[in-house]
Every structure is written in structure tokens, then in C-alpha cells.
Amino acid sequence: MTPATTTDPARPFGRVLTAMVTPLAEDGTIDLSGAQELAAHLVDRQSHDGLVVFGTTGESPTISDGEQHAVLEAVLDAVGDRAMVVAGVGTNDTAHSIEKAQSAARLGVHGLLVVTPYYNKPPQAGLLRHFTAVADSTDLPVMLYDIPPRSVVPIEVETLVRAAEHPNIVAVKDAKGDFGALMQTLARTDLAYYSGEDMLNLPLLAVGAVGVVSVVGHLVGTRLAELIAAVEAGDLARAREVNDELLPVYTGIFRTQGTIMVKAALRELGLPSGPVRPPLVDATEEQVAQLRVDLAAGGVVL
């Protein structure tokens, strides 16, 4: 299935993507119709070029492979003809990651997100071998996900330079916050960078990122599109205005774990979300009350 969105080689996954939550029923089972409704809302009403399904925000650690397969299929059916559907397939097991990548490819996803293997702390040689092995396993474009706060191990510049030699490794979702390393990588490769940390969206875009893989995009996708357009137009004053307006939203969603607060916000908006799965816990009444204040300050009408 080919998305209607025209792929720009400089922006292989588009500009605005959100790491979509996985809607659950109240009993904790997967809500497939809710996933389709939410995906359509994000694409049709929140200006999304694509969706990352089963990144961390999608609760990938606690969603089984079979459940992930079903959700990917449902989202593809809902929006795959008009948006990039990117499957999060990375784990800390190379063989398992390859299996997930090939399964997602057979479904017809448009790209893969591959996170740095977590917990087992591989050396850089292991990271490179892992990434290239997954990239070898399908013909799909791959976005690496560099997030040392969760994986402990950062992807070093030299590793990124070597990974970029692989024709399928075309992008990085950056949640490392190391601007020196980012600029060195941009200078030495053709990798497309996407901001993976909402509070750093503007500075990452200003130094060369081409888009965002956002969490707050569930709520403010059209304004993120406006932010990116302002940067691309060289209007940094307008970009800062938009970013300043969004700061309360960034703050509100990340007062605790992002999935928890986004699901709470979606419930407030009457959109599919449902509970989180353990070991996450749902937002408290006090947290929801503060979230309402934060979102109102950021212009999100509940």
C-alpha cells in the first residue's frame, strides 16, 4: 500500500508524525476500532504526514507481537492510503527485531523505526551490526531511534556515519539532545533528522532537523506543522512565537510519563485512548486537573 503523501528524499517520512498511543478498552484489551478512529483523526484533522505505531508511546513493551500485528493492520486500513505508517520494530534482540520487521513489511507498512537495543548495553560495533541486520531484512526505509535516557547507550557519530552507508537507513529520530553530535552527523551524512523530544523541537529544527516524531502531536499537530513551516521559511521570529505558545502543552504532557498524560488528554477530548497497561498507571485526578490548566494555557480547548 502506497501512501498518498509524496515522499521527499530529504524528508523520507514527511514532516509531522506522532508516536501514536495504542487505544485500549477498559478491560485492557486492544481497541482496534479506536485505533482506526484515532489514526484518522490525527491524519485528517491534525495535519499528520505519518504515524509511528508502537514506539514507546504506543506501549510497545507491554503489547504482544500478535496485538501489534492487529493494530498495524487496522491503522493501515484506516489511513495507509494517505499517510506514512511507520512500525516500531526495535527490541534488544536482533533476531526478534528482524522477525518483527519482516512481519510489518508483509502487512504493507511504509517504514520502520528501530530503537537502540536497551538494557543489554551493546558496544557501538554491536549497535551497527544490529541496525544493519534489521535494515537488510526488508526493503523498507529505516529510521533509527537514538534515545539514551531509555537505552543507556547513545549512537555515536561514527556509528551513525557508518550506518548511513546502508541504503535503507535514511533517518534518525533524535531524543539525545546532543547538538554537537547532531551537527557533526548532519555534516557528514545525508540522514534526515527528526526531533524526538518535543521540548527541543524548535532548536532541532533550527539546526537542520526536517520534521518531528512527536507525542504532543496528538493534540497540536496543525501547530507543529506551522512551526516547521515557519522554520523552513526562515521566519524564526514566528517559529519562536508558535513554540512559546506550545510550551505549556509540552510541560503538561511531560509532568509524568508521556503516554499516561496523552491518554488522559485524549479522554478529556472524547477521543479513543483507554487505560494504560502496567507497570504504567493512569493519571490521578490531581494530575488531570493540572493537565487541564496546562492545556488551556497552551490553547488546547477541551
Side-chain angles (χ1 to χ4, degrees):
M1 183 184 296
T2 302
T5 304
T6 301
T7 301
D8 177 351
R11 296 175 177 83
F13 297 96
R15 288 174 172 79
V16 179
L17 298 93
T18 277
M20 196 180 90
V21 302
T22 303
L24 301 178
E26 289 306 313
D27 64 358
T29 58
I30 299 292
D31 179 4
L32 291 178
S33 63
Q36 291 186 314
E37 180 184 344
L38 180 59
H41 170 81
L42 295 174
V43 171
D44 298 333
R45 301 187 64 183
Q46 284 289 344
S47 303
H48 284 63
D49 301 313
L51 302 172
V52 173
V53 183
F54 295 116
T56 311
T57 309
E59 298 179 80
S60 55
T62 54
I63 309 291
S64 73
D65 287 0
E67 290 172 322
Q68 292 189 28
H69 185 282
V71 173
L72 283 167
E73 189 170 41
V75 171
L76 281 164
D77 286 345
V79 301
D81 60 339
R82 59 191 187 277
M84 297 285 290
V85 177
V86 181
V89 300
T91 72
N92 62 350
D93 175 350
T94 302
H96 187 201
S97 300
I98 289 171
E99 180 183 309
K100 288 167 65 73
Q102 292 175 335
S103 175
R106 286 192 294 270
L107 280 175
V109 303
H110 308 117
L112 305 174
L113 178 75
V114 182
V115 70
T116 309
Y118 39 85
Y119 187 72
N120 43 17
K121 296 178 68 175
Q124 295 298 307
L127 295 188
L128 183 63
R129 184 176 297 181
H130 176 84
F131 293 141
T132 55
V134 178
D136 281 339
S137 71
T138 80
D139 293 327
L140 293 172
V142 171
M143 179 188 294
L144 305 182
Y145 186 9
D146 193 5
I147 182 165
R150 292 183 185 272
S151 67
V152 181
V153 180
I155 311 175
E156 295 180 359
V157 173
E158 293 301 325
T159 305
L160 288 164
V161 170
R162 292 190 62 190
E165 296 171 359
H166 195 292
N168 291 345
I169 298 176
V170 298
V172 177
K173 177 185 176 184
D174 186 277
K176 183 164 57 182
D178 184 339
F179 286 85
L182 182 153
M183 289 185 286
Q184 289 181 45
T185 307
L186 287 175
R188 297 177 60 189
T189 74
D190 293 325
L191 290 170
Y193 261 74
Y194 288 79
S195 172
E197 187 171 351
D198 279 310
M199 192 62 80
L200 298 182
N201 284 342
L202 176 55
L204 281 164
L205 290 165
V207 298
V210 300
V212 299
V213 178
S214 176
V215 177
V216 303
H218 285 91
L219 312 172
V220 292
T222 55
R223 291 160 72 189
L224 291 176
E226 184 181 358
L227 172 66
I228 295 166
V231 174
E232 290 179 346
D235 189 351
L236 292 183
R238 177 55 187 156
R240 181 167 179 179
E241 288 178 1
V242 175
N243 192 69
D244 287 351
E245 292 165 1
L246 290 173
L247 288 176
V249 182
Y250 299 160
T251 298
I253 292 300
F254 293 105
R255 286 186 185 276
T256 184
Q257 207 268 4
T259 306
I260 294 170
M261 299 310 287
V262 165
K263 281 197 162 184
L266 291 172
R267 284 194 294 273
E268 292 292 302
L269 290 167
L271 290 166
S273 62
V276 295
R277 279 188 175 173
L280 299 184
V281 292
D282 291 317
T284 65
E285 291 183 7
E286 292 77 13
Q287 287 172 326
V288 173
Q290 179 61 58
L291 179 63
R292 293 189 190 108
V293 173
D294 293 328
L295 296 184
V300 177
V301 179
L302 298 177

